[in-house]
Amino acid sequence: MAYDDEALDRAFLALADPVRRALIARLSRGPATVNELAEPFPITLQAVSRHISVLEAAGLITRTRDGQRRPCHLAPSALEQLTSWIDQYRLETERRFRRIDAVLETVKEQDQ
């Protein structure tokens, strides 16, 4: 599978911040406005808005218009791209460990 390296860079950079990861966690429970997202943080509303802009630029969240409200939504497809990228390396590492286990089991049987 081909991955967009620049998109991955933006997404992982965005997720490097604990506030942004907490915003993603909150949005996993459903859409929320900037005010709702800002409630648990001891930072200004403007700071939360900047974090949201970074997440939006990384493609991890989207915003819609609902009258006066502009709720933020998680972009599950962007998160799937990240987990897919990680999984390819995790699966390869697991294959290597299984091969090592098989070799060790063979050596163990020969020693007995």
Side-chain angles (χ1 to χ4, degrees):
M1 178 176 201
Y3 294 97
D4 179 344
D5 286 339
E6 290 181 20
L8 287 172
D9 290 348
R10 283 191 303 274
F12 282 118
L13 186 61
L15 293 173
D17 186 279
V19 171
R20 292 183 205 132
R21 288 194 305 273
L23 293 172
I24 292 291
R26 167 55 188 87
L27 289 171
S28 72
R29 297 192 309 269
T33 64
V34 173
N35 285 334
E36 292 166 337
L37 289 170
E39 283 176 12
F41 299 106
I43 57 177
T44 66
L45 196 59
Q46 292 150 329
V48 171
S49 289
R50 280 195 296 272
H51 284 298
I52 289 170
S53 294
V54 171
L55 291 170
E56 195 172 15
L60 297 172
I61 66 170
T62 60
R63 291 171 125 180
T64 57
R65 185 167 295 282
D66 181 17
Q68 296 286 332
R69 299 172 28 129
R70 291 203 63 210
C72 299
H73 308 263
L74 201 57
S77 62
L79 294 176
E80 286 173 17
Q81 286 282 321
L82 297 178
T83 56
S84 172
W85 183 84
I86 291 170
D87 276 350
Q88 71 178 338
Y89 298 107
R90 180 185 58 79
L91 293 171
E92 180 57 33
T93 301
E94 286 178 2
R95 277 191 283 272
R96 283 191 202 137
F97 283 133
R98 280 195 292 273
R99 285 193 297 254
I100 290 170
D101 284 345
V103 169
L104 290 174
E105 190 64 34
T106 302
V107 170
K108 184 178 174 183
E109 287 172 5
Q110 290 172 351
D111 286 345
Q112 292 177 353

